[in-house]
Amino acid sequence: MITRRLPSIVAIVALVIGGLATSTGASETVTITLVTHDSFNVSKAVLRAFTRSTDIKVRILRAGDAGQALNQAILTKDHPIGDVLYGVDNTFLSRALDNGIFEPYTARQLDLVPSGYVLDRRHRVTPIDRADVCVNYDKEWFADHGLAPPTSFKHLTSDAYKSLTVVENPATSSPGLAFMLATRANFIGESWRNYWTSLRANDVLVVDGWEQAWYEHFTAASDSGDRPVVVSYASSPPATIPEDGGPARAGSVASTCFQQIEFAGVLKGTERRGAARQLVDFMLSKRFQEDMPEQMYVFPVRGDAALPPAFVEYAGLPERPALSIPPEDIERNRDTWIRQWTEIVLR
């Protein structure tokens, strides 16, 4: 996945919609702030269309990774730094809801979203996209070495796969956290800890973030890569299509996928409630939904949104339900599980 989960540098970027800085209609132009993670992206033409039809300009405030953006929204909830927050996922959803940073709003066209993505029945957040975290592998590397690609968690702990896997630290990385939760969901009881003990013994490499894992170590994405197995996304393989065309070099292991849904919500305390609601509606519009795959390498939540050809051919969500853990269980146990993981893998 190319644009997601960039380094956790707090950055503020104002997006100026070229040529639309002033309203040409009778109504006054309103500017609202979208607080989001560093990986957010949208086509300029798509955002211009929103401004043109609503007289609402969008200032984008990129505030680090998903966890950092949420923490900023929580710390400033009495004086909100924006009007809409996008990028809270199901691993942090309970934290967001428990801190009361969103106000309820039922987005238009929410009825076009499968009910399984609507995790908050009070509609304080609206599902926008899905980006399952899965093990990816380098098809070319495995073919060259005469070794079958992994098809399960357990393959990664066998002798044949020793020193082949790179993962992200769940304490510093969203996909790293999702993969740790995937193992927690897959293995019965406390056996997930035994799994990580075996993975450590098999020389798993742990790095701080997705970009380091993908661009520095994954052989399908880096000429100097040294690991043909990486934790990334179900939608990552299209990013390995050669520039001159041809099949994607990476594949994903469906049985390891952990469901990740991202949400948007109107921040409580906004003084531009109507405009903020229109932005949430826009993010659920078919035009925005169909723009997302090639901008952020995620899947739209609307069932009627068309996917680009590369996604149809090389990216896919698991046919069976992905691994998942209820958000309230994650919130209650996240810190404990990360602490246990750290004791097993890093010390």
Side-chain angles (χ1 to χ4, degrees):
M1 188 164 295
I2 295 300
T3 62
R4 297 179 60 77
R5 312 300 177 248
L6 300 178
S8 56
I9 300 172
V10 176
I12 297 177
V13 179
L15 179 70
V16 177
I17 310 303
L20 294 170
T22 57
S23 170
T24 56
S27 59
E28 182 180 354
T29 299
V30 173
T31 299
I32 62 173
T33 298
L34 173 65
V35 183
T36 184
H37 49 61
D38 286 344
S39 301
F40 176 82
N41 202 25
V42 57
S43 297
K44 289 182 179 179
V46 171
L47 206 49
R48 283 195 191 103
F50 172 69
T51 300
R52 190 161 48 239
S53 63
T54 61
D55 275 335
I56 298 169
K57 293 197 299 182
V58 181
R59 174 179 176 263
I60 299 175
L61 171 56
R62 294 187 174 91
D65 65 20
Q68 289 174 319
L70 172 61
N71 286 339
Q72 286 201 56
I74 292 172
L75 292 172
T76 60
K77 67 179 183 180
D78 292 334
H79 303 282
I81 56 176
D83 304 283
V84 173
L85 173 63
Y86 161 76
V88 175
D89 67 24
N90 46 306
T91 67
F92 284 105
L93 181 59
S94 285
R95 177 177 294 180
L97 299 182
D98 290 348
N99 278 278
I101 62 172
F102 294 118
E103 61 178 44
Y105 173 61
T106 304
R108 296 174 58 193
Q109 304 188 79
L110 185 62
D111 58 324
L112 298 176
V113 177
S115 59
Y117 296 154
V118 183
L119 300 187
D120 177 35
R121 300 302 170 188
R122 293 171 57 188
H123 301 303
R124 290 165 292 184
V125 292
T126 299
I128 302 297
D129 65 80
R130 179 176 171 183
D132 287 10
V133 172
C134 314
V135 167
N136 279 218
Y137 60 91
D138 181 353
K139 296 176 181 176
E140 188 173 305
W141 188 96
F142 280 96
D144 288 346
H145 289 75
L147 182 64
T151 59
S152 68
F153 286 105
K154 288 193 174 180
H155 272 150
L156 307 185
T157 61
S158 66
D159 291 343
Y161 296 84
K162 188 176 180 66
S163 306
L164 300 188
T165 304
V166 55
V167 305
E168 301 87 357
N169 187 333
T172 57
S173 164
S174 175
L177 174 60
F179 184 61
M180 183 197 75
L181 294 173
T183 63
R184 185 66 181 79
N186 184 72
F187 294 99
I188 298 173
E190 294 302 309
S191 60
W192 73 280
R193 295 164 69 176
N194 298 331
Y195 175 75
W196 279 102
T197 299
S198 299
L199 203 55
R200 177 178 179 172
N202 219 32
D203 193 33
V204 66
L205 175 64
V206 180
V207 297
D208 286 341
W210 175 84
E211 281 211 329
Q212 189 180 1
W214 182 268
Y215 288 119
E216 296 182 17
H217 293 284
F218 186 41
T219 53
S222 169
D223 290 339
S224 59
D226 55 355
R227 301 271 169 159
V229 180
V230 65
V231 170
S232 192
Y233 296 86
S235 51
S236 294
T240 63
I241 296 175
E243 291 184 1
D244 58 354
R249 184 165 163 173
S252 63
V253 182
S255 65
T256 65
C257 292
F258 187 83
Q259 187 181 70
Q260 189 174 61
I261 305 167
E262 292 189 305
F263 303 87
V266 176
L267 285 169
K268 190 177 289 184
T270 175
E271 296 178 351
R272 292 161 286 273
R273 178 172 295 106
R277 289 177 172 180
Q278 287 187 70
L279 179 58
V280 174
D281 289 340
F282 173 69
M283 297 180 79
L284 209 52
S285 70
K286 195 170 182 181
R287 184 165 189 181
F288 186 91
Q289 291 276 297
E290 292 183 345
D291 185 59
M292 285 192 306
E294 292 187 325
Q295 297 299 318
M296 295 192 283
Y297 284 87
V298 296
F299 289 88
V301 290
R302 276 183 62 152
D304 62 343
L307 291 171
F311 267 61
V312 174
E313 187 161 5
Y314 297 116
L317 294 170
E319 293 182 1
R320 68 177 188 178
L323 297 164
S324 65
I325 296 175
E328 57 272 20
D329 287 350
I330 295 173
E331 182 61 27
R332 187 164 50 248
N333 297 293
R334 183 194 304 109
D335 292 345
T336 298
W337 291 338
I338 290 176
R339 187 167 56 251
Q340 291 173 336
W341 179 93
T342 301
E343 290 290 335
I344 295 167
V345 181
L346 299 183
R347 294 177 182 166

